[in-house]
Amino acid sequence: MAEAVAADGNFLAVGYFDPLSRVPFRAYRFDPGPLDRRFFRERFERALRKRAGLGPSYRLVHGEADGLPGLVVDRFGEVLVLQVRTRGMEALREVWFPALLEAVGPKGVYERSDVEARRQEGLPGRVGVVWGEVPPVLEVEEDGLRFPIPLALAQKTGFYLDQRENRRLFESMVRPGERVLDVYSYVGAFALRAARKGAYALAVDKDLEALAVLDRVALRQGLRVDIRQGEALAVLRGLEGSFHHVLLDPPTLVKRPEELAPMKRHLVDLLREALRLLAPQGYLWLSACSYYLKAEDLLEVARRAAADRGVRLRVHALTFQPKDHPWSLHVPESLYLKTLVLQEDALRGPAPV
């Protein structure tokens, strides 16, 4: 534990100092006091109050935006799935972990600390049950759909809770008889909602285990979703026909600033193929879950792809992550998810560059 003080000696914050970390000092509190179990219990209780009424599944802790830098906790009913991303939070584990159990009272806790941020801190990966009883297959319910997620094979913490509001918006827009293409579908949460509305849905993902979960959910719900396994760009290039909704929700493409330029070129390639498949007046959905990819970057790659295809697009919506993934004004990195919804505006003629 360390205190940060201004040049004039005035107190600034209490935090954890690690000279070997890419961020040497991380602030936990802005008033004098210890980083003890009581402090962490109060932080977790505050996080719980902020999520009241969100249902059984939500993000309980979103790192710095909840005053707990380096920690992510997702709640799925009585099971918690957590990630420890920094050496500071790892060093404080024996203090904050009992406080988490006291505040939430879960039946079990599963850890998925195998992310790039942890490797950058020089920490080994940790995956598995760390407390209590956790079923090997986690049942995640969202708006009447139940997803059996095998935790040992799951991406991130098991389910992309941050797309919840986008999925609801999408389902409200889909009409019976429409055609939907869900690329990077994972377990098909968008595709299944489309099928539930009476639309034809094709889900694309390279993860066969995720597609198997999708297939089981569809069978259980009496829904039909067609499946295509493979790399997104290759599958898009091989498809023909048109779709009223094309969704692109790639994984974190940009983890470092130097990766931004090549990833923008890759997004242009993806969007160019997606636009080829978009029906007149259809909707193109593009999500980015990287802090380094700004909303302006999404607009830029969309303009470039539209110019290449000679189509014109209208911005229907620009959305961000839901409230259980809070965005702190003082921590710009806490804003990571941006989704651009574009509509083909049916005005013929070349698109401006």
Side-chain angles (χ1 to χ4, degrees):
M1 190 180 81
E3 286 189 359
V5 297
D8 60 5
N10 286 331
F11 171 85
L12 293 176
V14 175
Y16 192 90
F17 177 69
D18 180 1
L20 299 179
S21 174
R22 58 193 178 91
V23 181
F25 181 81
R26 297 178 189 268
Y28 283 76
R29 61 188 303 169
F30 299 93
D31 60 324
L35 301 181
D36 56 10
R37 184 183 296 195
R38 177 180 177 182
F39 164 79
F40 283 107
R41 186 176 64 250
E42 290 174 351
R43 277 282 194 270
F44 293 130
E45 289 171 349
R46 181 175 182 271
L48 281 166
R49 291 193 296 271
K50 288 166 63 177
R51 275 82 171 176
L54 287 182
S57 300
Y58 51 83
R59 173 149 294 180
L60 173 61
V61 176
H62 188 54
E64 285 88 347
D66 280 303
L68 294 163
L71 181 64
V72 170
V73 182
D74 284 347
R75 183 175 193 174
F76 301 99
E78 295 182 304
V79 173
L80 302 180
V81 182
L82 61 83
Q83 287 181 349
V84 181
R85 299 181 173 183
T86 65
R87 269 202 297 262
M89 192 57 84
E90 186 66 56
L92 292 165
R93 181 187 289 263
E94 293 185 5
V95 182
W96 62 258
F97 189 73
L100 176 65
L101 299 180
E102 290 175 8
V104 182
K107 285 189 174 179
V109 182
Y110 192 88
E111 184 161 0
R112 282 303 304 260
S113 296
D114 55 352
V115 292
E116 176 66 19
R118 186 175 172 93
R119 289 188 286 272
Q120 290 175 2
E121 293 275 303
L123 293 168
R126 292 184 60 162
V127 177
V129 178
V130 292
W131 188 84
E133 297 181 2
V134 178
V137 176
L138 188 64
E139 289 279 342
V140 181
E141 189 275 334
E142 183 180 86
D143 295 345
L145 294 172
R146 297 186 66 85
F147 297 86
I149 308 293
L151 276 174
L153 302 171
Q155 299 176 17
K156 292 194 174 181
T157 59
F159 192 74
Y160 291 94
L161 296 167
D162 52 6
Q163 286 282 14
R164 179 196 313 111
E165 298 304 322
N166 282 334
R167 287 191 284 264
R168 289 170 176 166
L169 173 63
F170 166 73
E171 187 171 9
S172 74
M173 293 169 60
V174 174
R175 299 291 178 262
E178 290 186 334
R179 289 170 54 83
V180 171
L181 175 60
D182 183 6
V183 186
Y184 302 101
S185 66
Y186 187 44
V187 295
F190 281 99
L192 287 159
R193 284 175 179 263
R196 185 163 68 175
K197 290 292 291 289
Y200 166 80
L202 172 61
V204 176
D205 203 281
K206 68 178 182 180
D207 187 340
L208 278 173
E209 295 289 346
L211 293 175
V213 172
L214 190 167
D215 200 41
R216 288 195 292 273
V217 177
L219 182 64
R220 179 191 295 178
Q221 300 281 148
L223 301 171
R224 177 188 172 185
V225 175
D226 284 352
I227 291 170
R228 190 75 58 89
Q229 190 271 338
E231 293 288 344
L233 187 55
V235 173
L236 284 171
R237 285 172 172 163
L239 288 175
E240 298 296 335
S242 62
F243 296 85
H244 299 89
H245 292 266
V246 179
L247 300 106
L248 300 173
D249 183 16
T252 305
L253 295 173
V254 182
K255 297 177 181 178
R256 304 176 188 87
E258 59 268 23
E259 297 173 342
L260 183 58
M263 286 303 103
K264 285 169 69 174
R265 290 193 293 271
H266 179 62
L267 283 177
V268 172
D269 291 340
L270 283 169
L271 286 170
R272 192 184 298 118
E273 294 302 319
L275 288 172
R276 179 179 63 83
L277 299 167
L278 192 64
Q281 300 183 56
Y283 292 90
L284 176 63
W285 301 64
L286 173 62
S287 290
C289 55
S290 169
Y291 160 71
Y292 296 107
L293 266 172
K294 312 296 186 185
E296 293 78 9
D297 295 315
L298 299 188
L299 292 165
E300 178 192 343
V301 298
R303 276 193 293 267
R304 289 165 56 187
D308 289 347
R309 283 289 171 202
V311 300
R312 301 184 68 90
L313 301 170
R314 177 183 67 86
V315 177
H316 176 79
L318 177 61
T319 71
F320 301 96
Q321 63 218 45
K323 287 186 287 187
D324 58 330
H325 297 62
W327 170 15
S328 171
L329 176 65
H330 312 286
V331 186
E333 294 83 357
S334 62
L335 171 63
Y336 71 102
L337 180 62
K338 286 80 60 174
T339 299
L340 181 61
V341 186
L342 301 164
Q343 185 181 26
E344 199 274 343
D345 72 0
L347 295 173
R348 300 306 172 187
V353 177

